[in-house]
Amino acid sequence: MQRAALLDAARSLLSEGGTEALTFPALAQHTGLARSSVYEYFRSRAAVVEELCAVDFPVWAAEVESAMRAAETPEGKVEAYVRRQLALVGDRRHRAVVAISAGELDVGARERIRAAHGGLISMVVEALGDLGHEQPRLAAMLLQSVVDAGVRRIELGAAEAPEQIAEAAVSMALNGVRG
């Protein structure tokens, strides 16, 4: 119960202020626990982020997969892959996934997170193969780069509305630079 409360507090802190806001004193304040109690559950900020990713990334990936399953065509699956990820940017769970780039994560944690991210990319490989890509895995990695750029643009509060960014990303994914 306390662990879940700490993770929920971490999501809020990351959502409100990014990785800098995720501190043990802030976790203690948000949960009403003593700061020393936070250390009983997590040894470091990196451990909090790692557990958030372990808990939240599968939920996020399942939402993307579900959206793709609902699509009937390869193009629809690619569109769902892009749109669902961009729609999840506003979700508090997404902040934890974004926080994985924090430099304080150890090599093992980064590798586990990279593997989970590879699972997300694997979801769209078949659809890209069905569209005729000779190297669907490479195409999937490049497609994810377009999604990641859209995510960053939305997070930065770009001049374009998130829906416009999603439309541009889907167009890029399905039509290339011709639009």
Side-chain angles (χ1 to χ4, degrees), residues 2-143:
Q2 299 288 28
R3 186 177 217 85
L6 286 165
L7 291 174
D8 195 51
R11 284 182 198 98
S12 294
L13 290 166
L14 287 165
S15 178
E16 294 162 9
T19 55
E20 298 79 30
L22 181 60
T23 64
F24 279 28
L27 283 170
Q29 182 179 4
H30 271 72
T31 58
L33 294 172
R35 185 175 166 185
S36 59
S37 296
V38 176
Y39 284 99
E40 292 176 25
Y41 293 93
F42 300 104
R43 67 187 183 289
S44 65
R45 285 174 11 138
V48 175
V49 171
E50 186 178 348
E51 184 154 340
L52 277 173
C53 289
V55 169
D56 291 346
F57 194 91
V59 173
W60 189 37
E63 290 186 30
V64 173
E65 187 174 31
S66 176
M68 289 179 68
R69 253 195 322 270
E72 296 180 10
T73 65
E75 292 88 351
K77 290 180 184 315
V78 171
E79 181 174 350
Y81 178 84
V82 173
R83 284 191 190 281
R84 191 66 198 131
Q85 285 188 70
L86 293 176
L88 288 168
V89 171
D91 188 309
R92 290 181 325 138
R93 294 169 300 172
H94 182 262
R95 266 294 180 197
V97 175
V98 170
I100 65 175
S101 62
E104 64 193 74
L105 293 179
D106 66 31
V107 175
R110 282 192 200 146
E111 199 50 47
R112 285 187 294 282
I113 291 164
R114 213 174 280 122
H117 199 257
L120 185 64
I121 289 170
S122 294
M123 288 182 202
V124 76
V125 170
E126 183 179 345
L128 292 167
D130 291 344
L131 287 172
H133 282 278
E134 290 180 20
Q135 295 182 304
R137 179 113 181 112
L138 174 59
M141 287 186 250
L142 295 172
L143 173 60

Side-chain angles (χ1 to χ4, degrees), residues 139-156:
M141 287 186 250
L142 295 172
L143 173 60
Q144 186 61 44
S145 295
V146 170
V147 172
D148 292 344
V151 166
R152 282 190 301 279
R153 193 102 182 115
I154 291 169
E155 285 181 337
L156 290 172

